[in-house]
Amino acid sequence: TIYYLAQVCASLGDGAASANYCAQTLERQLVGPTPSFDGVTPLDWAKNCVGLARFFVDQGAVLDAMSCCRAGVAAARLDGVDDDPDEPRGSVVADAHKCWAQAHASRGG
C-alpha cells in the first residue's frame, strides 16, 4: 500500500517521496461522502497532518503546510475538541496553529 511506500522511502532517506506518500495516505482515508479515517481516530489523523505540515514547512512548501494544518484542526474538532492546550486534542490544535505561524513566518511576511 501507499503507507508502506512512505515507510520505505523514509528508511531510504527520501523524505520528499515519503511525505508525498503520507499525504496520499491521509487523503485516501477521507475518500467518500463522510470522513471514515480508515480505522484511525480523528485525533491521530490530525496529529499525522500536523507532523506532515512540519515537514512541509521545513521544505518550504508553505501552501501544503497550511493545508495540512487546516485539515488537522478540522479533524481534531470532529472529535469534540476543547481548545485547552493542556488536553490532548487542544494540544494538537495548538500545534497546528504554531505550525501555521511558522509557515507564515517562513514566507517572509
Side-chain angles (χ1 to χ4, degrees), residues 10-91:
S11 69
L12 294 174
D14 190 349
S18 179
N20 179 47
Y21 289 129
C22 285
Q24 287 182 46
T25 298
L26 290 168
E27 185 176 338
R28 286 178 180 213
Q29 289 172 331
L30 297 182
V31 172
T34 59
S36 71
F37 298 103
D38 196 29
V40 177
T41 67
L43 182 60
D44 285 337
W45 194 91
K47 288 177 186 177
N48 293 335
C49 276
V50 174
L52 188 57
R54 285 189 199 106
F55 174 82
F56 285 139
V57 167
D58 291 343
Q59 297 301 305
V62 175
L63 295 179
D64 290 330
M66 290 178 176
S67 293
C68 287
C69 289
R70 188 172 27 249
V73 168
R77 289 195 170 141
L78 283 176
D79 222 18
V81 66
D82 181 356
D83 285 336
D84 180 353
D86 294 329
E87 295 297 321
R89 290 178 185 95
S91 177

